[in-house]
Amino acid sequence: MSLRHALLGLLSAGPASGYDLLKTFEISLANVWPATQSQLYSELTRLDREGLIEVAAEGPRGRKEYRITGEGLAELRHWLVEEPPTQSRRSDMLLRVFFLDTVTPDQAHGYLERLAVQARKEHAALRGVREQIIGQGEDALRLYGDLALEWGLRLTAAQRDWAEWAAARIAALPHQSTVPTETLTETLTAPAEAIEPAAAE
Amino acid sequence: MSLRHALLGLLSAGPASGYDLLKTFEISLANVWPATQSQLYSELTRLDREGLIEVAAEGPRGRKEYRITGEGLAELRHWLVEEPPTQSRRSDMLLRVFFLDTVTPDQAHGYLERLAVQARKEHAALRGVREQIIGQGEDALRLYGDLALEWGLRLTAAQRDWAEWAAARIAALPHQSTVPTETLTETLTAPAEAIEPAAAE
DNA sequence: AGCGTCATGTAAACTGTTACATGATTAG
DNA sequence: CTAATCATGTAACAGTTTACATGACGCT
């Protein structure tokens, strides 16, 4: 359960309300640990009940500003340095690759091309983010944000390169000529045809 | 819900029982889409009820061998080529990076070093897998498995390189001397200290 | 006065994990 | 005969998503 640690982490930078935290999730944490409003509010209630955070102040429309407690900070640090990182490696994208032999090579090629395009877009978006924050306040909080951003850039670049490489490999297959896509629909219900192996890179 | 598509994909290669599929999940699909026995059996029952798979034969100890139906194959192909890939990018590992400023630079450095070690191990393991399957039957099913393996190799390499780069950046910080780790425990309850930015790469 | 945003909460459905439970068959 | 493996299922719980519901405040 890392949602609680995400919340503790955000609150370690200063007090905030559920609404504030929700915005932060939508903007900066969306790509790392998405969370919904519903989930967020109930987790905050639980954290408060368990003493890891507390209500610092109450505002206008029932607004409750939470603050992290000493116990909460200790838990956050424990999670950071003690608990082994469990990368949940569930990948929709890669799962499909395993079964690409059930569709035509053209369709498989199309899938990989789309992955490459998507990776290029994401990479460009991250570059945009980097341009925006360049020259801004260079404090401790930014250093680690930069590391995360760099990871995003490297990951999307790797994904792009791999998808292009993989698409090219499929395009290099024999019997992969200029078949118009219209005629492929009727082959959909036929069993996947055997594919000759491509030469190693 | 991609578990059902994983099952359909495996069954597209030939009939199998829940037990067989479970083994396949543990061996070859564990790193892509982990699933538990419990989850698997109930999903098979559901797929059967919905007509996407059917019982082909019954074996010795209540064994039920499932076979994919035409409807199931259609659903698999639809998922592969029509539905946009939703990469669930929830990353425990990256989430921690954002909050690394709440612990000492030494501890942050240690975290990144451990990530690098882990990535190196995983990369080596995948290399081992590649050695094992080299020279084996080179059929259509293998081609796409190779693409997936290559992605694993590239991903773990990228993770290793990034973690090393990030660790080096933290090690290059000022005031980052040879502090014995024993003395760090008392700084755990103190507020995280401000960190000077490192020069760009 | 009314619209947009701020602000929080609950309920239901679904997905995933852990643990419990049971029994048949085969190999040694 | 007995231990390992084959083989399936259920129950309880934890985490996530979607939808519903409500109301206060601030600006024009």
Side-chain angles (χ1 to χ4, degrees):
Chain A
M1 192 211 337
S2 287
L3 170 63
R4 70 167 32 201
H5 298 114
L7 288 171
L8 289 173
L10 291 180
L11 286 173
S12 78
S17 70
Y19 195 82
D20 295 338
L21 293 166
L22 183 61
K23 296 299 158 198
T24 313
F25 263 92
E26 283 167 357
I27 297 163
S28 69
L29 238 49
N31 297 309
V32 176
W33 202 273
T36 59
Q37 174 257 25
S38 165
Q39 213 182 339
L40 204 146
Y41 279 110
S42 42
E43 188 61 36
L44 282 173
T45 310
R46 211 173 306 137
L47 283 166
D48 186 14
R49 209 174 42 230
E50 295 174 25
L52 301 181
I53 63 176
E54 64 193 5
V55 176
E58 306 222 3
R61 334 156 203 221
R63 174 191 170 93
K64 284 187 278 185
E65 203 167 57
Y66 290 103
R67 176 173 48 201
I68 194 167
T69 64
E71 210 187 325
L73 199 54
E75 168 58 27
L76 174 65
R77 285 170 171 156
H78 171 262
W79 172 71
L80 272 170
V81 297
E82 309 278 349
E83 280 185 51
T86 64
Q87 85 270 35
S88 109
R89 50 203 165 232
R90 216 163 239 134
S91 169
D92 191 38
M93 168 251 136
L94 199 54
L95 181 62
R96 291 178 207 231
V97 173
F98 275 103
F99 306 130
L100 240 27
D101 64 312
T102 59
V103 295
T104 68
D106 259 338
Q107 289 175 315
H109 183 266
Y111 173 70
L112 290 165
E113 275 294 343
R114 259 174 284 128
L115 285 185
V117 168
Q118 195 179 317
R120 254 190 293 272
K121 272 185 199 156
E122 282 172 31
H123 189 82
L126 288 177
R127 267 188 190 285
V129 171
R130 182 157 68 175
E131 291 311 310
Q132 276 189 332
I133 62 176
I134 259 181
Q136 286 189 7
E138 298 183 349
D139 53 2
L141 298 156
R142 263 283 314 287
L143 167 65
Y144 295 105
D146 284 352
L147 297 187
L149 180 58
E150 176 69 21
W151 170 244
L153 285 166
R154 291 181 183 219
L155 180 67
T156 48
Q159 168 116 250
R160 175 199 59 207
D161 295 344
W162 169 82
E164 278 170 7
W165 168 83
R169 251 183 94 126
I170 293 181
L173 287 176
H175 303 300
Q176 181 64 12
S177 55
T178 55
V179 181
T181 36
E182 294 81 37
T183 68
L184 287 177
T185 34
E186 55 184 349
T187 69
L188 254 176
T189 44
E193 51 214 281
I195 296 164
E196 290 296 312
E201 209 190 8
Chain B
M1 192 211 336
S2 289
L3 170 63
R4 72 167 31 202
H5 298 114
L7 288 171
L8 289 173
L10 291 180
L11 286 173
S12 78
S17 71
Y19 194 82
D20 295 338
L21 293 167
L22 183 60
K23 297 297 159 199
T24 313
F25 263 92
E26 283 167 357
I27 297 165
S28 69
L29 239 49
N31 296 310
V32 176
W33 202 273
T36 59
Q37 174 255 28
S38 165
Q39 213 183 339
L40 204 146
Y41 280 109
S42 42
E43 188 62 33
L44 281 173
T45 309
R46 211 172 305 139
L47 283 166
D48 186 14
R49 209 173 44 228
E50 294 175 26
L52 300 181
I53 63 176
E54 63 194 4
V55 176
E58 307 222 3
R61 339 158 201 222
R63 175 191 169 93
K64 284 187 279 186
E65 203 168 58
Y66 289 104
R67 176 174 47 202
I68 194 168
T69 65
E71 210 187 325
L73 198 54
E75 167 58 29
L76 175 65
R77 286 172 171 154
H78 170 262
W79 171 72
L80 271 170
V81 297
E82 310 279 348
E83 280 184 51
T86 64
Q87 86 270 34
S88 113
R89 51 206 163 229
R90 215 164 241 133
S91 169
D92 192 37
M93 168 250 136
L94 200 53
L95 181 61
R96 291 178 207 231
V97 173
F98 275 102
F99 306 129
L100 239 28
D101 64 312
T102 60
V103 295
T104 67
D106 259 339
Q107 289 174 314
H109 183 267
Y111 173 71
L112 291 165
E113 275 294 343
R114 259 174 284 129
L115 286 185
V117 168
Q118 195 179 317
R120 255 190 293 272
K121 272 184 198 156
E122 282 171 31
H123 189 82
L126 288 177
R127 267 189 189 284
V129 171
R130 182 157 69 176
E131 291 311 311
Q132 276 189 332
I133 62 177
I134 258 179
Q136 285 188 7
E138 298 182 350
D139 54 2
L141 298 156
R142 262 284 312 289
L143 167 65
Y144 294 104
D146 284 353
L147 298 188
L149 179 59
E150 176 68 22
W151 170 244
L153 285 165
R154 291 182 184 218
L155 180 66
T156 48
Q159 167 116 252
R160 176 201 59 207
D161 295 344
W162 168 82
E164 278 171 7
W165 168 82
R169 250 182 95 126
I170 293 181
L173 287 176
H175 302 300
Q176 181 64 13
S177 54
T178 55
V179 181
T181 35
E182 294 82 36
T183 69
L184 287 176
T185 34
E186 56 184 349
T187 69
L188 255 175
T189 44
E193 52 214 281
I195 297 162
E196 289 297 311
E201 209 190 9

